[in-house]
Amino acid sequence: MPGNAFYEHEMKQENYDAIRIEKHPNGVVVATLNKPEKLNAVDPNMHLEILALARDLDEDPDAKVMVLTGAGRAFCAGGDFSPSQSRFSGDRIWRQARQFLDDYLDCEKPIISAINGPAMGLGFMIALLADVVYAARSATMGDTHTLIGMGCGDGSQVIWPMVMGPYKAKYYLMTGETFSAETAEELGLVNFVVEDDELMDKAMALANRLAEGPGMAISASKMALNKQIKAVANQVLPYSLMLQKFCLYNSEDAAEAMDAFRNKRPPEWKGR
């Protein structure tokens, strides 16, 4: 349970560059993905920092609840595959992808995501690893991996079928179709859709309520459910990541999608 003295340390802004950390006296932490000029797209540095967030939250004795949101007009546009981000091609990133789900599912303290704008691919998966998801009414979301010639391996195949069933999940994951916040709520992917200007107020109201509640009981209630999700992740995630990696390095369509993105043109799919 939370508060193991052996691991205790503080969440500090000095340990983060791509994420803004705001700590409130009652134990609520607001973590804001802070690359608005790139719609908070996840580069390798941000990837490491998001990975650290769950561990830091769990190990900080003064932190009780975290609200995760994005700066500017997007929550997170997904992975940053611009030419300068070649470090995404190393094997380390695949190990981190697996660790990512494990660390968030093992975090004993509540996490609330507040989707303030587009949340795509990895960006949407980050939001879905929270315990409660709020979305602004104008937000859009989806998993668009197939539109860059890759299988989705960030965890969508774990979470999505559990909340909407396999057939709806396969439709959206195969097509890469994006959808509105209202559709996400209907599909079970978000808990609450709220007006844009009320998003943080609503998320913070729940965060304050949980921070002031019986922390051990709240933790015990979420962790048993997370073990169910993790059991599915243990079966599905290694296979989905392996297929995603195979697509990236072997698919002509993946190479074509990257070239098209960098040259700002539509891709010409070859079907292989």
Side-chain angles (χ1 to χ4, degrees):
M1 304 303 291
N4 188 328
F6 182 78
Y7 292 105
E8 287 180 0
H9 70 281
E10 294 182 35
M11 296 182 78
K12 296 180 179 180
Q13 181 64 67
E14 64 196 57
N15 296 328
Y16 294 88
D17 176 58
I19 301 174
R20 187 170 67 244
I21 303 294
E22 302 170 38
K23 298 181 72 174
H24 293 239
N26 67 347
V28 174
V29 178
V30 179
T32 305
L33 306 182
N34 196 27
K35 293 285 184 179
E37 71 281 1
K38 288 197 170 185
L39 301 181
N40 302 316
V42 180
D43 60 20
N45 180 56
M46 183 184 279
H47 200 269
L48 283 172
E49 292 187 10
I50 295 171
L51 184 64
L53 268 180
R55 293 195 301 266
D56 288 351
L57 172 66
D58 227 16
E59 296 167 9
D60 188 329
D62 297 322
K64 297 180 179 179
V65 183
M66 182 170 72
V67 176
L68 182 60
T69 191
R73 61 189 181 89
F75 178 82
C76 178
D80 183 354
F81 291 102
S82 59
S84 62
Q85 304 304 331
S86 59
R87 286 179 295 160
F88 261 137
S89 61
D91 286 338
R92 185 183 184 188
I93 205 72
W94 304 100
R95 295 194 299 271
Q96 291 172 0
R98 175 58 194 273
Q99 193 64 43
F100 194 95
L101 257 74
D102 285 346
D103 285 353
Y104 274 76
L105 292 174
D106 287 339
C107 179
E108 297 183 351
K109 298 175 183 177
I111 300 173
I112 300 164
S113 59
I115 304 177
N116 56 300
M120 300 297 165
L122 173 60
F124 192 29
M125 195 62 236
I126 292 167
L128 294 183
L129 286 174
D131 302 298
V132 179
V133 184
Y134 286 85
R137 193 167 301 280
S138 66
T140 55
M141 50 211 74
D143 191 315
T144 53
H145 277 93
T146 57
L147 303 184
I148 56 171
M150 293 172 59
C152 44
D154 296 323
S156 298
Q157 292 124 313
V158 176
I159 303 292
W160 289 32
M162 295 184 74
V163 299
M164 70 173 77
Y167 294 106
K168 289 181 180 178
K170 282 188 282 188
Y171 170 79
Y172 285 106
L173 295 177
M174 288 192 299
T175 62
E177 187 173 308
T178 60
F179 40 84
S180 67
E182 286 87 351
T183 297
E185 185 180 33
E186 292 170 3
L187 292 170
L189 290 169
V190 306
N191 295 83
F192 305 105
V193 175
V194 300
E195 299 306 321
D196 291 21
D197 59 358
E198 296 180 352
L199 176 67
M200 287 305 295
D201 288 342
K202 295 289 188 181
M204 288 298 293
L206 177 61
N208 292 331
R209 176 182 173 186
L210 293 174
E212 295 161 7
M216 187 174 291
I218 290 170
S219 173
S221 297
K222 65 165 271 187
M223 289 309 295
L225 293 170
N226 276 6
K227 292 301 181 185
Q228 296 180 49
I229 301 173
K230 192 171 181 181
V232 176
N234 288 339
Q235 180 180 27
V236 174
L237 194 61
Y239 187 59
S240 65
L241 286 170
M242 181 271 291
L243 291 175
Q244 186 182 57
K245 184 177 181 181
F246 186 85
C247 287
L248 179 62
Y249 294 129
N250 296 277
S251 169
E252 293 182 32
D253 283 334
E256 163 63 13
M258 294 297 177
D259 185 74
F261 173 77
R262 289 165 182 168
N263 289 285
K264 298 180 180 180
R265 62 172 178 83
E268 298 179 4
W269 303 121
K270 301 180 184 299
R272 57 184 184 272

